[in-house]
Amino acid sequence: IHTVQNTPSFFTHFRGSAPPVEYNKKVYVLVHHVKYCTPRNYMHAVVECNRETMRVERYTPLFCFRKTAIEYCIGFHIKNDTATFVFSENDADPGLIHVPFKKFRWLTV
């Protein structure tokens, strides 16, 4: 460990998801939060990091793609001000969602 940053305590519940994306001189990471109930629920967030320091600057509130269920996101891309997510529900029923980047609400760290 070479750098420590104070972040909200619930960040300890975030897990990795799709690979990071560089966009407009920032790095964006899609993460998920698992609620361990039966069945499990996955909620997602996009985290914005400074490209040079990788410090977290802001993040979106938690969201789901279709419904609160087991959703895995295997693809994330941002191009032409549109975020694209490729996901599956319960390891089946794949989906593709395009979201205008300006539609995201952001919370600062």
Side-chain angles (χ1 to χ4, degrees):
I1 298 173
H2 61 79
T3 304
V4 176
Q5 178 185 0
N6 292 326
T7 55
S9 61
F10 69 86
F11 271 44
T12 61
H13 300 285
F14 283 166
R15 304 292 177 255
S17 197
V21 173
E22 190 172 333
Y23 178 70
N24 283 348
K25 300 182 181 178
K26 300 285 183 179
V27 174
Y28 294 91
V29 182
L30 179 73
V31 297
H32 63 264
H33 175 274
V34 180
K35 182 176 180 184
Y36 292 98
C37 55
T38 304
R40 287 175 305 193
N41 295 327
Y42 282 46
M43 299 292 289
H44 312 276
V46 176
V47 178
E48 180 186 88
C49 301
N50 179 290
R51 187 176 74 178
E52 304 303 320
T53 65
M54 290 308 293
R55 293 184 71 77
V56 174
E57 295 181 341
R58 57 188 192 157
Y59 59 99
T60 65
L62 295 174
F63 61 88
C64 60
F65 295 113
R66 281 195 189 128
K67 61 183 179 180
T68 306
I70 299 175
E71 292 181 322
Y72 294 100
C73 186
I74 58 170
F76 171 46
H77 185 70
I78 306 170
K79 185 176 180 181
N80 299 328
D81 295 325
T82 300
T84 300
F85 302 96
V86 180
F87 67 96
S88 71
E89 192 176 313
N90 298 318
D91 286 332
D93 201 15
L96 178 72
I97 292 179
H98 303 283
V99 180
F101 198 74
K102 65 182 177 184
K103 293 287 187 179
F104 285 119
R105 261 186 353 140
W106 295 97
L107 305 167
T108 56
V109 174

